[in-house]
Structures are given as C-alpha cells and as structure tokens.
Amino acid sequence: MSAHADLLVYLHIPFCRSKCHFCDWVTEVPTSELLLRETDQPRIRHLDALCWEIAERGGALGEQGYTPSIQYWGGGTASILTTDEIARLGAALREVFTFRDLQESTIECSPDSLSPAKLAAFRDAGFTRLSSGVQSFDPARLRTLGRSHDAGQARTAVRWAAEAGFDDISIDLICGFPGQSAHEVAESVRAALDLPITHVALYPYRPAHGTVMRRQLGRGGRTIDRDEQRRGYAAGAELLVGAGFPEYAMSHFGSRQCFSDLTYFQLRSDWAGFGSGATSVVGGRYLSHARGRLLDYNRDPLSFEEDYELSSAAIAPRLLYQSLTTFEGAERARWQARTGRDFDEIMAEPACRSLLEFFESVTTVVRDERGIRLPSTEIADAFIDLQYLNAPKQGRAQLSATAAALMG
C-alpha cells in the first residue's frame, strides 16, 4: 500500500421515519428495525457497534496509509441522527482518520428530518454537501410513494441548508412511476430549479422486488409505460441542461459532479463502508454487511456476510452495471489496477457477458483499448429498457436470470 492512498469513507445509517413504497433498500429491513428511535436499545447498540467498527477497521486502514478524500453519510436516512449522535460518530471518525484533504463531504437527508440546528451540527462536523431525497414535488405523488415529507418541507430544507452554509446542494427526483406523465416530471424539475441547488439526480423508476409499488403493478391496470418514462427523463434532462446543469453520467446533472457516486461507479478508489448494510472495496476485495441484519451487526460489526474478490462472478457484474451508467464506462486500466485481473477475462465471465449481450440487443456497445461503454446519448434509454423487462406483466420476454438479479 502506497502512502496516502485515497479512500472514500462511507457511514451507513440504517434507520428511516417511513418505509417508502418504491425503495428497494428497505425491502430486506424489518419495519421494527427501520423505524427505531434514538431511545430504542437496538439503535443505541448499533451506534456502539458502529463506533467499534470505526475504531478497529478504520484504525487499521489509517495505519495502512489510507487517507480519506471523500466522506459520505447515507442510508437509510442519515439525517435522522440526533445532534448528539452526529457529534459522537464524527468524533469516532476523527480519532482514526485525518479529514483535512477532503474533496467532498456529503450528508444524505430526508426533508422532514431536518432542522436549522441539525444542519448546523452537520456543518460543524465538516459537511459541505447536502443530498436531499425529494423524489417529487407533486403532493399526490408524494402520498402514493409513502414519503414522510411534503413539497413544502422539501423546499424549506433546501433553503435552510443554503442558509446554514452548504455550498453544494443536490436533489434526488424520480421519473417514470406508474401513471406518472412526462409533464409531471418536468414540473418537478422546474420546481427544483427554483431552489438554490447545484446538482440534480433524476433516476428512472425501477420496479424492485419486494416493494409495495411493485406488488401494485398489474393491479387495476397499473403498469409502467416505458415510452412515457423515456419522455419524462428526456424532458427533465432538457430542462436541466438548459438551466446550466450538464449531464455527466446517467441521472446525474450539474457542473459540480458527485465525486462519491463516480468513485463507486468508476472504481476510482477504494472505499470503506461502516455500519449495518454498508459495503466496502478494499485491497481488491468486496466486503458487505448485509441489509436487514442489524442485530447480527450489533453483535459483531467486524464480520461480513459477503467477502469476494472484485473480479469474481459474484461481484464483477454489479460493478459493470454501475460503470456502464457513466459516460466513461468500464475503463480497462482502472479495472485491472483495482481487481488485479485482466479486463477481458473479467468481461468474459458468463454474468458480465450476459449483461453486455442485453445491451448489445438494444444499443451500441463500444469496445476499444479504453474499455467498454455505451454511447452517452443512449445510456438512459438502454437502462430504462433493462428495467422495463424486469417489471411484472409487461408483455415482454423474460429477462435473463443474471440481469434480473442485477435489477433486484
């Protein structure tokens, strides 16, 4: 390990105020664990275990020469933390890492869990970037999604963040929900552009297994309209680019790019994930604390449910899927450096080959000395096609087992 190797430090907070109908992260998490409050013993024990993992694993990484260049607290809902919890976790991290050279420091939030005091606490902890999970500014849509905030709270949270000194503010929106028109998507994008934001993530809806919304699909004529989802994405993208938010990867718009997402998608550096549900990529291996195993994590935060070589068939297709959402795609030199294995050999693995064959059936797959990528203007449509095939009762051929597994 060379001195001062870049590291993304990720802290996972596996708690929320509601179990949203579309969210695939919460499907494996029992509601009794997801909705834990700060006074509940399993949540208190989780913070104990989290600080233990930070001290042990973080301390070892620091001794190996890793220096954080990116910090990201996500979830779940990272902003559900109390000011005391924020201070405790920040202190635990500063005990083992030096954060003076951070390029980016992000906290994820749900608008209803913020207050000026809490935002000030996050600023005191060193965060400069806020990512707000808004999803829509349409009141009726927010109710159907099971969100615990309303449009007014979403607007207020952004304004509070700007007043608190956050100079990089991102909003997440989703397009292509069942029954959602392109016009509705465009209206939400316009509402976002009226706020002091620097970045927008516009995600096509994905009908993930185990979610309430997926179970509702096909009932009472509810389906996903692939063409309307494409139109919604295109309408949102046109508005964003026209307002000075260039698209630099699928769903990502802004002149200030999200370095944390690009690190994951492009394997730019190793990352260390702490907490129940977190993943890590360190030293050519993929490590995971599985979702929905909070009590197991609390008992032993130093063990993992998944531990694979990055080049293995269990992990490589997941990484390829993410890489192909970026304009650069899967870059040969970076993959070989990160995995220690020949790039073409990894791409020839059956699971990777299956995914590439799907994309070759709907668009051009560019293969050259740089690596493998999709044309930047066709990435969104290609992934919408992939997600559409995995939706129930869409009257299309079944997705391959490999691609279906990637889609959740």
Side-chain angles (χ1 to χ4, degrees):
M1 173 63 58
S2 62
H4 306 299
D6 283 344
L7 184 71
L8 186 160
V9 171
Y10 175 77
L11 206 63
H12 191 82
I13 308 302
F15 309 118
C16 294
R17 285 188 172 176
S18 64
K19 198 163 190 174
C20 297
H21 298 169
F22 65 92
C23 181
D24 60 346
W25 188 86
V26 301
T27 57
E28 296 134 314
V29 182
T31 302
S32 60
E33 294 179 5
L34 183 73
L35 305 184
L36 287 170
R37 297 164 298 179
E38 63 270 21
T39 55
D40 292 328
Q41 284 301 312
R43 176 160 159 175
I44 294 170
R45 286 194 289 272
H46 178 262
L47 262 69
D48 292 341
L50 188 50
C51 289
W52 176 13
E53 184 187 14
I54 291 169
E56 294 295 325
R57 290 185 60 227
L61 290 168
E63 291 174 0
Q64 293 171 40
Y66 281 102
T67 301
S69 58
I70 298 170
Q71 177 179 218
Y72 196 105
W73 292 18
T77 306
S79 58
I80 205 170
L81 294 169
T82 67
T83 54
D84 287 344
E85 290 172 330
I86 295 165
R88 182 183 179 193
L89 294 175
L93 287 167
R94 289 191 296 273
E95 281 290 319
V96 295
F97 291 119
T98 299
F99 288 96
R100 62 175 174 267
D101 296 323
L102 285 179
Q103 301 174 13
E104 180 179 277
S105 186
T106 301
I107 179 71
E108 273 186 357
C109 81
S110 180
D112 59 296
S113 64
L114 290 180
S115 67
K118 191 174 288 187
L119 286 163
F122 282 128
R123 288 289 292 124
D124 289 343
F127 291 99
T128 58
R129 184 176 185 274
L130 181 112
S131 178
S132 181
V134 174
Q135 318 315 345
S136 174
F137 283 95
D138 182 87
R141 181 66 54 192
L142 288 171
R143 288 192 293 272
T144 65
L145 301 180
R147 297 295 287 173
S148 55
H149 73 268
D150 59 32
Q153 287 173 309
R155 292 182 173 93
T156 298
V158 170
R159 294 189 178 108
W160 279 348
E163 292 168 2
F166 283 88
D167 60 6
D168 193 359
I169 301 174
S170 180
I171 279 180
D172 289 357
L173 298 174
I174 298 180
C175 67
F177 285 119
Q180 185 181 40
S181 68
H183 174 74
E184 181 188 318
V185 175
E187 288 301 299
S188 281
V189 171
R190 290 190 180 97
L193 290 172
D194 283 339
L195 297 170
I197 60 172
T198 55
H199 187 276
V200 172
L202 178 63
Y203 297 106
Y205 165 65
R206 187 165 70 92
H209 288 279
T211 59
V212 170
M213 191 164 284
R214 182 183 173 92
R215 291 195 295 271
Q216 292 172 341
L217 283 171
R219 297 177 187 172
R222 297 192 69 179
T223 60
I224 296 174
D225 186 331
R226 177 187 53 174
D227 293 333
E228 192 67 11
Q229 188 176 59
R230 284 177 164 180
R231 284 190 288 268
Y233 187 92
E238 182 178 7
L239 286 168
L240 289 165
V241 172
F245 290 73
E247 185 174 16
Y248 61 92
M250 175 189 160
S251 302
H252 288 64
F253 298 83
S255 56
R256 296 186 66 168
Q257 298 182 357
C258 178
F259 295 145
S260 55
D261 282 354
L262 291 177
T263 295
Y264 294 128
F265 300 160
Q266 296 176 343
L267 296 178
R268 288 186 175 184
S269 74
D270 281 359
W271 66 82
F274 301 99
S276 175
T279 67
S280 299
V281 165
V282 178
R285 302 198 70 82
Y286 176 93
L287 309 171
S288 171
H289 296 303
R291 303 172 187 173
R293 303 286 294 274
L294 179 73
L295 301 184
D296 289 343
Y297 175 84
N298 287 354
R299 282 189 290 268
D300 185 3
L302 303 182
S303 66
F304 300 96
E305 282 74 32
E306 291 184 301
D307 183 350
Y308 297 107
E309 293 183 356
L310 279 184
S311 59
S312 73
I315 297 303
R318 301 186 205 178
L319 301 177
L320 176 60
Y321 174 97
Q322 293 178 332
S323 290
L324 292 177
T325 65
T326 70
F327 291 178
E328 293 79 9
E331 295 186 301
R332 180 184 303 273
R334 187 170 285 153
W335 272 65
Q336 290 183 172
R338 194 67 58 200
T339 66
R341 187 180 173 195
D342 181 75
F343 179 77
D344 293 322
E345 287 183 4
I346 299 174
M347 295 301 109
E349 290 281 357
C352 292
R353 189 171 65 246
S354 176
L355 183 62
L356 292 170
E357 286 172 353
F358 168 79
F359 284 121
E360 286 170 341
S361 73
V362 297
T363 187
T364 301
V365 175
V366 180
R367 301 170 186 259
D368 56 22
E369 67 283 355
R370 286 172 47 199
I372 297 176
R373 61 194 176 279
L374 308 181
S376 60
T377 57
E378 298 178 25
I379 293 174
D381 281 354
F383 274 87
I384 287 172
D385 278 342
L386 179 60
Q387 294 172 178
Y388 177 79
L389 283 183
N390 195 38
K393 299 182 180 180
Q394 296 297 304
R396 292 286 304 272
Q398 291 296 306
L399 198 58
S400 73
T402 297
L406 288 169
M407 295 305 302

